[in-house]
Amino acid sequence: MNTKILDPKDPNTLDTAADIIRGGGLLGIPTETVYGLGANGLDADAVLKIFEAKGRPQDNPLILHVAGMDQVENFCHDVPEQAWMLMKTFWPGPLTLILPAKDLVPRRTTAGLSTVGVRCPDNDMTRAIIRRAGVPIAAPSANLSGKPSPTTAQHVYHDMVGKIEAIVDGGPCRVGVESTIVDVTGERPRLLRPGGITPEQLRELLGELDIDKAVVGEISGDTVVRAPGMKYTHYTPSGDVIIVTGTGKQAAHYILRHLGPKDRVLCFQEEVELYPAGVAMAYGSEKQPETLAHGLFGALRDLDSKDIPTIYARCPSGGGVTYAVANRLKKAAGFHIVEGDKAP
Ligand code: TXA
Ligand code: MG
């Protein structure tokens, strides 16, 4: 299959893209978080192709992308008041809500669950494609399973060339990490995955928010988790990733004692100068956490392509979007964390 790159400014793109979705094909779609690998979310055969193209385990459900709040009750029932409040405040935007699914949503989309994740992406072109296609778009992140999510059309091309009909090139994604996921089907709202909408923003609106254990620590393969995707290895470059804590100087002191000739350091802009030339790569500024979110996956992909045995990484701490960045980096490291100020 010849994978086309579609320019959103081309007047034919909207129809071409909508036709691919309606015809049961696969389409790379831009969103404000990361690129999605989209198909008609109501067509079980089209959805199967997503799992095949990604190499994704079939027990990991997909998110349904809708064009607006007005479409939610086509696919979900018993939508609680809290969910409407969240949609009114944060949509279109990087927030996915877990809601009870109607029967027309195929079990292949929900991976057999009675609930479905819905999200309205903050990207005009993608919402227009959903409306034009007349169906919701089921889309996981458009990476090969286990690899960092794609934040440019070129990343999608790299992973999916020959496997999908086309990619709509919407430029680099604004946020850079996947959406925040909140389960609103239980007694209390529960954060299943941190993202661009922060726990502070959610608590301010909801007054309460539980944090799922999958967010805070490693979970073993047989643990029952609410967001099934959280139990798989994620975002992993081929080399080992080790997070080193402490101040910049403490971490550099530790890393420089252990650094092999082909190893590299993934750090904040402010710390690059602590390392010999060519060793350290910045993914953003510690003072501007949005830049870290924006740059993390691209940097992990760069390092993945270079055959590096060990990547020593610096992880930000704190709330806001920093919380999501730290969550992704810890997963990339398989929760391998060394205390730079104490370790020998
Ligand atoms: O920002 C995003 O959310 C991106 C863009 C493309 O929209 N999508 C994305 O999809 O990150 P994916 O498939 O890579 O991650 C979806 C996560 C998985 O961890 C999955 O297990 C969880 O959402 N999920 C989906 N449906 C669920 C459900 N019904 N209950 C619990 N978790 C669910
Ligand atoms: Mg993903």
Side-chain angles (χ1 to χ4, degrees):
M1 189 184 304
N2 175 20
T3 301
K4 290 198 234 29
I5 304 275
L6 304 176
D7 179 355
K9 287 190 219 85
D10 180 336
N12 298 317
T13 290
L14 183 56
D15 280 333
T16 309
D19 284 348
I20 290 170
I21 295 296
R22 262 198 309 263
L26 297 181
L27 178 72
I29 51 168
T31 83
E32 79 284 25
T33 57
V34 302
Y35 275 76
L37 179 59
N40 177 353
L42 302 183
D43 176 345
D45 295 332
V47 166
L48 177 62
K49 293 183 197 164
I50 295 179
F51 286 94
E52 288 170 349
K54 273 186 68 103
R56 178 174 174 115
Q58 298 228 9
D59 66 347
N60 193 0
L62 307 179
I63 293 172
L64 269 191
H65 295 70
V66 297
M69 282 173 58
D70 58 297
Q71 298 187 330
V72 168
E73 285 184 309
N74 298 343
F75 316 114
C76 304
H77 62 88
D78 293 303
V79 179
E81 195 45 46
Q82 280 183 328
W84 292 117
M85 268 167 45
L86 289 166
M87 289 184 243
K88 273 183 210 143
T89 311
F90 298 117
W91 279 13
L95 177 68
T96 296
L97 296 175
I98 306 298
L99 290 164
K102 284 192 170 170
D103 285 344
L104 88 166
V105 182
R107 289 294 136 134
R108 196 165 268 147
T109 302
T110 67
L113 298 177
S114 61
T115 55
V116 63
V118 279
R119 138 167 159 80
C120 179
D122 186 13
N123 183 290
D124 292 344
M125 186 64 196
T126 293
R127 286 201 313 281
I129 295 169
I130 297 166
R131 287 227 188 263
R132 181 67 62 100
V135 291
I137 296 185
S141 49
N143 50 285
L144 290 172
S145 208
K147 291 294 171 188
S149 296
T151 54
T152 65
Q154 289 69 41
H155 294 161
V156 182
Y157 192 83
H158 176 270
D159 283 14
M160 294 297 157
V161 62
K163 297 180 172 185
I164 68 179
E165 272 78 1
I167 303 161
V168 178
D169 185 353
C173 300
R174 175 171 59 81
V175 179
V177 292
E178 307 88 341
S179 61
T180 304
I181 305 182
V182 178
D183 184 348
V184 283
T185 62
E187 294 232 315
R188 288 159 58 88
R190 176 180 287 262
L191 180 73
L192 302 187
R193 181 175 74 181
I197 303 297
T198 66
E200 293 85 347
Q201 286 174 293
L202 294 167
R203 284 215 169 95
E204 194 181 320
L205 192 80
L206 298 169
E208 54 178 11
L209 181 72
D210 291 344
I211 309 275
D212 200 78
K213 61 178 184 297
V215 174
V216 278
E218 190 176 13
I219 37 188
S220 61
D222 51 5
T223 317
V224 177
V225 285
R226 295 216 191 188
M230 301 298 275
K231 72 173 182 249
Y232 296 107
T233 354
H234 261 81
Y235 320 121
T236 39
S238 40
D240 285 337
V241 180
I242 301 175
I243 292 174
V244 184
T245 63
T247 64
K249 283 198 176 133
Q250 287 167 337
H253 190 63
Y254 172 89
I255 292 168
L256 289 171
R257 272 181 290 134
H258 293 82
L259 193 77
K262 290 168 83 186
D263 294 341
R264 291 291 175 270
V265 181
L266 178 63
C267 65
F268 315 126
Q269 228 149 50
E270 292 84 349
E271 297 179 354
V272 173
E273 62 185 32
L274 297 173
Y275 300 91
V279 164
M281 167 174 185
Y283 63 108
S285 160
E286 193 178 17
K287 296 197 191 81
Q288 291 167 283
E290 327 77 64
T291 62
L292 297 172
H294 188 78
L296 178 63
F297 287 146
L300 286 174
R301 278 181 175 262
D302 257 14
L303 292 168
D304 187 27
S305 64
K306 292 188 177 127
D307 208 10
I308 297 165
T310 302
I311 299 163
Y312 292 95
R314 294 283 291 150
C315 183
S317 58
V321 75
T322 300
Y323 193 59
V325 173
N327 169 266
R328 303 308 192 276
L329 197 51
K330 285 177 188 165
K331 283 178 145 295
F335 292 85
H336 187 171
I337 301 171
V338 169
E339 295 181 45
D341 52 339
K342 300 203 186 95

